[in-house]
Each structure stands twice: as structure tokens, then as C-alpha cells.
Amino acid sequence: DITESKATETMLLEAEERYRNLVVTAHDLVWSMDTEGRWTYLNSAAHHIYGYDAKELLNESLSMLQTNESRGRDESAFASVIEGEELLGYETVHLDKDGSTRQISFNGRPHIGSDGKVQYITGTSRDITEQKAYETELTYQAQHDKLTGLQNRSFFQEELECLSARIARRQEKCALIYLDLDQFKYVNDTI
């Protein structure tokens, strides 16, 4: 009687189909690459992030997407994965098909064979370009006057504290000049 065996096989096939559907339709990039840094699998999110269809990137090296500034850091990060370490929340800058920069967050995991060596790497990636732009804008707004665009009191206070700490450490001298402009509040408030 193979009824139980067939039922188990059917459950496994259904689970595999659910998994495949999740991976294919995910908004995050689901990928795998060989130990040489060449893509061996990418889901359809590759198109949304990089502008390339997944098929265009298959067997291509990760290096084709790297900026000159990120190349060294990326190689070091992925070398650590090839040595058996996990990569979590690694942020880098890549180029999309149009040559625009994209800020990407990577998670990667090595898969180790019976010989104890890494056979391949799998992971996920997320485009965090908009998030980073938003963070940059928030930081700018927190440190600059909305009307003039000049650095505000909060920025000045932070800089003054950093300068004071540096001067104390190095035992240097400095001076702070305070200028008071007559009627400036009136001019600022009305004009």
C-alpha cells in the first residue's frame, strides 16, 4: 500500500509550488550565485531593482553592477560569505541598467557541501534608494532652516559640542565670536 507515500509526495509538491510562487512574486530580490560571484538565479524583482530581466543577469558577475566606489567593499563582503560567514544588512551602491545609482541592502548565506567548502550562496536584496533619500532629507531638515536653507541652531549646537570635545582632547585654544544684528528678528519675521 503506497497511499501514505503518495500523500506525502503530493504534500511536498504542493509545498514546493507554494515556495516557488512566493519567491517568483516577491518584491525583494531573491538570488543565488556561485563562488565566483556569478548569478545563478534571480527572481523577477531584478527588473524592478536593476532594470535588467533576470535572464540578462544570469551567469553575469556581480561586478557588472558595482560602482567604482563600492567595488572593494563589495568584494570584501562577499569574500567573507565565500569563507562561510553570513551577510546581514550589508548596504552598498550599485548601478542599474540606465547607469543610475541604486542603494541596495544585501543578506546572503553560504551553503556548505559535505566537503566543508562553500558550494554556492543564496540571499535576498532590497532596493533602499528611496528610504536613504528620505533619511537624507530628514537629516537636512533637522539641521537647516526651512526658509533660508542655512544651518540652524541645532546644527550649530552639535558642531559646537564636537569642537569643544576636540579642543579639550587636544588641549588647544579657540574663540567663539557672537554677532548680534539689530532688528534682525523683525527683518527675518517680515521678509
Side-chain angles (χ1 to χ4, degrees):
D1 184 21
I2 60 168
T3 306
E4 190 174 314
S5 174
K6 284 291 186 186
T8 302
E9 184 180 329
T10 301
M11 285 176 40
L12 286 172
L13 289 173
E14 288 171 355
E16 183 180 339
E17 184 63 26
R18 278 193 306 274
Y19 171 75
R20 183 175 286 118
N21 286 335
L22 286 171
V23 169
V24 168
T25 60
H27 290 287
D28 287 351
L29 180 64
V30 179
W31 54 267
S32 64
M33 67 176 54
D34 62 21
T35 56
E36 301 297 317
R38 291 184 303 259
W39 303 107
T40 56
Y41 173 80
L42 298 116
N43 68 347
S44 60
H47 182 71
H48 300 295
I49 295 173
Y50 291 116
Y52 292 98
D53 288 328
K55 291 177 184 176
E56 292 179 272
L57 291 174
L58 280 180
N59 297 314
E60 293 291 339
S61 175
L62 174 67
S63 64
M64 77 176 273
L65 301 170
Q66 295 169 326
T67 62
N68 290 332
E69 296 80 23
S70 67
R71 190 173 310 277
R73 283 187 53 240
D74 287 359
E75 288 171 358
S76 176
F78 280 90
S80 69
V81 179
I82 291 168
E83 292 170 6
E85 296 178 30
E86 250 183 82
L87 187 66
L88 297 172
Y90 171 71
E91 294 181 6
T92 187
V93 179
H94 283 172
L95 297 172
D96 65 14
K97 191 172 187 175
D98 298 328
S100 300
T101 57
R102 310 299 299 168
Q103 296 194 20
I104 311 292
S105 175
F106 273 89
N107 295 310
R109 183 174 191 207
H111 291 269
I112 300 170
S114 59
D115 61 355
K117 294 182 180 178
V118 174
Q119 303 297 309
Y120 60 97
I121 304 165
T122 60
T124 59
S125 300
R126 175 176 286 175
D127 184 350
I128 57 172
T129 305
E130 288 180 15
Q131 174 187 336
K132 288 295 184 179
Y134 181 69
E135 289 171 5
T136 300
E137 181 61 26
L138 283 179
T139 300
Y140 181 86
Q141 288 178 5
Q143 296 177 342
H144 292 79
D145 179 71
K146 221 188 316 185
L147 179 65
T148 64
L150 297 174
Q151 293 162 335
N152 64 15
R153 185 176 300 189
S154 170
F155 179 84
F156 171 76
Q157 186 66 37
E158 288 175 24
E159 287 296 309
L160 183 60
E161 288 171 9
C162 288
L163 178 65
S164 296
R166 188 173 66 232
I167 299 243
R169 274 193 317 271
R170 296 180 183 172
Q171 298 181 344
E172 296 176 341
K173 294 180 181 179
C174 79
L176 173 65
I177 300 173
Y178 176 82
L179 298 174
D180 186 17
L181 302 176
D182 290 339
Q183 305 297 320
F184 183 74
K185 181 172 177 14
Y186 172 76
V187 170
N188 192 39
D189 291 345
T190 58
I191 299 175

